[in-house]
Amino acid sequence: MLERLSVLRKERKWSLQETADKLGIAKSTYAGYESGYREPSLHSLLQIADLFDTTVDYLLGAEKDGFIEITNFAKIHSHRLSIDGELLSADELIDFVSFVRVKRMLRAQEIKKEA
């Protein structure tokens, strides 16, 4: 987690102080999170994940590179997807994956024709 916090902050070109200010905590507290001297509470982890637009799983190293394989999403009970506030059913999720795959295939065919 320590390295991920530092990388996320540096990608945004934020100082330790700016990051701490955005979280409403002391600079020394946030610096402690990055150095490993302190561990954030669950509430703080959620705030940090929101600030960096990522997941707690990613911060904790349970998610690789910020990605979740969507074809495995139906098997992950801790996450749910919704569109316009309505949860996607398993069938809708399969339809979504199928749509993206067909769209990619058509795009690849167009690129081959243009080349």
Side-chain angles (χ1 to χ4, degrees):
M1 177 176 79
L2 315 173
E3 184 178 322
R4 290 180 183 209
L5 286 178
S6 179
V7 167
L8 289 167
R9 177 179 59 80
K10 289 175 182 176
E11 283 176 350
R12 288 158 179 77
K13 297 180 172 69
W14 293 344
S15 68
L16 288 169
Q17 185 65 59
E18 288 173 310
T19 307
D21 290 345
K22 291 174 187 295
L23 292 168
I25 60 176
K27 175 184 171 184
S28 60
T29 300
Y30 183 77
Y33 297 160
E34 280 196 16
S35 71
Y37 178 74
R38 300 181 90 127
E39 289 190 10
S41 67
L42 180 57
H43 177 73
S44 295
L45 274 173
L46 290 169
Q47 286 182 310
I48 293 167
D50 283 345
L51 177 67
F52 289 124
D53 195 30
T54 191
T55 65
V56 171
D57 283 349
Y58 176 73
L59 293 176
L60 296 175
E63 187 181 308
K64 298 192 189 272
D65 300 326
F67 296 100
I68 296 174
E69 176 61 38
I70 200 162
T71 54
N72 295 333
F73 223 80
K75 300 174 194 168
I76 303 172
H77 300 291
S78 62
H79 298 297
R80 302 293 304 263
L81 290 176
S82 67
I83 295 177
D84 300 327
E86 187 176 336
L87 290 176
L88 290 174
S89 69
D91 287 340
E92 289 173 322
L93 188 56
I94 291 167
D95 290 345
F96 176 76
V97 170
S98 298
F99 171 79
V100 171
R101 286 178 175 158
V102 168
K103 191 80 167 158
R104 286 177 176 174
M105 183 184 70
L106 292 172
R107 191 174 306 125
Q109 288 174 353
E110 284 181 25
I111 291 170
K112 283 183 183 178
K113 286 180 185 177
E114 292 174 359

